[in-house]
Amino acid sequence: MTTDLIIFLGLGFVALATAISMLASRNAIYSALFLVMNFITVAVLYLLLNAAFIALVQVTVYAGAIMVLFLFVIMLLGAEHVEASPGLPWQGPVAVLLGLILAGEFGLLLFGREGTLAQDLQTAVEGFGSPASVGLELFRNYLIPFEITSVLLLVAMVGAIVLTRRERKESR
Amino acid sequence: MIPLSWYLIVAAAIFCIGIYGVLARKNAVGILMGIELMLNAVILNLVAFWRYLTPSLIGGQAFAVIVFAVAASEAAVGLALIISIYRRHSTVVADEINMLKW
């Protein structure tokens, strides 16, 4: 169990460090790559929680598909360096203030009620949380939400194509 | 033994960093990246709660899968909107996108 603890502490440190350096880096490409690193670290956290399927989906969908899309858009638009415009000088301090207020509320909730959250982990049996059981659950009990999700993805795809389509009147 | 609250603390910290990014970034792509970070923290919470509180119900993972699909479609539509705005106004700075103002 001590190895679990060491792995968790290391992963948590790396996840927070990459999230902070994502915000700190001026170049948008670097921050996208730090975000990929953060997603892969969180995928290993899912493995620690016996959720192998979620970890694989995290790597393929998040770190693969979504972040490649982000990198593609950043390079397409040439948006690597956006200089700080003087428009809203109070934006940064207000963002810090609101983020700290939210963190304080989370801390109050997490440390205020130790009772339910100090739950002990039950030992995992063979084949616990395997991709096969997730698939069975998805297609047995959650079939209608699953189908609605596929319709949602289709609508998002059509919407993305319609939004980025060049209109014929303007191109001439 | 790792308590549940440690996972929740990591997820809450990632969520707060993400919300700072959303509020402080001027680049619209950076704002979307902050939103992705927040969604990631939410999924971490979901999986941790499933593992610690209801490990016999695999539905917690099914829920996380559906949130993944929502995150993917959100990123696709958001980036399409950014490309569309860039075509019309040739900017991705959120301050300069003020067509709805007055």
Side-chain angles (χ1 to χ4, degrees), chain A residues 22 38 50 62 91 164, chain B residues 23 25 36-37 40 51 87:
Chain A
M22 175 213 130
N38 185 20
N50 295 85
Y62 255 117
Q91 189 186 7
T164 53
Chain B
L23 292 174
R25 277 298 177 96
E36 293 299 323
L37 206 60
N40 200 27
R51 180 69 183 87
R87 282 220 181 114

Side-chain angles (χ1 to χ4, degrees), chain B residues 5 11 15 18 20 23 30-31 38-39 45 47-48 55 62 70 80 85 102:
Chain B
S5 53
F15 192 90
Y20 170 75
L23 292 174
I31 293 174
M38 286 158 71
L39 276 168
N45 258 358
V47 177
V70 172
I85 288 173
W102 278 281

